[in-house]
Structures are given as structure tokens and as C-alpha cells.
Amino acid sequence: MKEILLIDDEADLRESISQVLIEAGYSVRTAADGLTGIQACREKCPDLVITDIIMPKAHGFDAILLIRREHPQVRIIAISGGGHFWPAVYQPETVNTTAYLAAALKSGANAILPKPFNRAVLLAEVRKWLPDDFAAPC
């Protein structure tokens, strides 16, 4: 069974996405922040990582960079609904979801999904990166 590591700090969203993926036949592990996700990936390499960008402890950019460095073959989908890193310098007109997701691609993500997304869009993207003939990367 193909395994997905889902990293997102929003518990309700993490649960919802996990349920969709489990119902679609995937094994899912979850992490509530970037540091925990990085550690989970080190403990057992998944086939695919889905990571939020804006999270406490270590944001998604850190997770993408470290996972990509340690497991270059792992597929990574970055998800984000916006937010901000540094409230004191946040400028809403210059930083948005599109900018975060574009930066995630530059950091090494294979694909991006802006939040909110629906079940069909999520599963289509997962199936694109985990086709039936997919060979485990680790």
C-alpha cells in the first residue's frame, strides 16, 4: 500500500485530508508541524509527502528542503491557504498564497495545491504522483 505523510498544523484539515486519502486506499501518517514531519520522514520514508507551508516550529519550506535533500526521490505536494511568517513585516499586498506556492516549487515541491481544494482535485494530484505502476522511492 502506498504511504503518504501529511504535514499540516490544522487538526481538522489534517483529519479531513487523511480520511479522504484512507478511503481512496492509501496508508496515511500525519504530523502537526514541520519538525515532526521531518522526523517522521527520517523514521520511515513515505512515497509522497503533502505539506502545508505556514506552520509553527518549522514551516513547509524547511520540510521540503530537508526532505528533498535526504530523500530526493520522494514526491512532494505543497498546500497553502496563505498566512504570514513574520507579522511585524507582513504586507498583504505583496505576500499571498500564490507567492508561497511558487516559492514551494522553487524549494523542491513537485506540485502545489492552493487551499481550499476539493476531494477530486486532491485525489487527482495524488494519483498523478503515485500512479498504479509507481515504485517506492526509498
Side-chain angles (χ1 to χ4, degrees), residues 8-108:
D8 198 304
D9 61 320
E10 296 178 47
D12 291 343
L13 184 60
R14 206 171 47 243
E15 178 61 31
S16 296
I17 293 173
S18 293
Q19 195 60 38
V20 167
L21 295 170
I22 289 167
E23 289 173 5
Y26 298 99
S27 172
V28 179
R29 290 185 295 143
T30 63
D33 60 70
L35 285 179
T36 307
I38 292 165
Q39 185 59 38
C41 197
R42 287 178 175 153
E43 290 169 5
K44 185 175 183 231
C45 179
D47 298 310
L48 174 75
V49 172
I50 299 173
T51 185
D52 189 20
I53 298 299
I54 312 304
M55 296 182 289
K57 298 185 184 175
H59 52 72
F61 298 120
D62 291 330
I64 292 167
L65 289 168
L66 286 169
I67 291 167
R68 182 62 63 224
R69 184 180 312 138
E70 295 176 10
H71 305 285
Q73 300 84 4
V74 170
R75 313 296 176 78
I76 301 173
I77 299 173
I79 59 176
S80 184
H84 47 44
F85 292 126
W86 306 281
V89 297
Y90 176 61
Q91 297 177 344
E93 66 278 2
T94 59
V95 180
N96 58 37
T97 301
T98 303
Y100 287 136
L101 292 174
L105 286 172
K106 288 183 180 180
S107 295

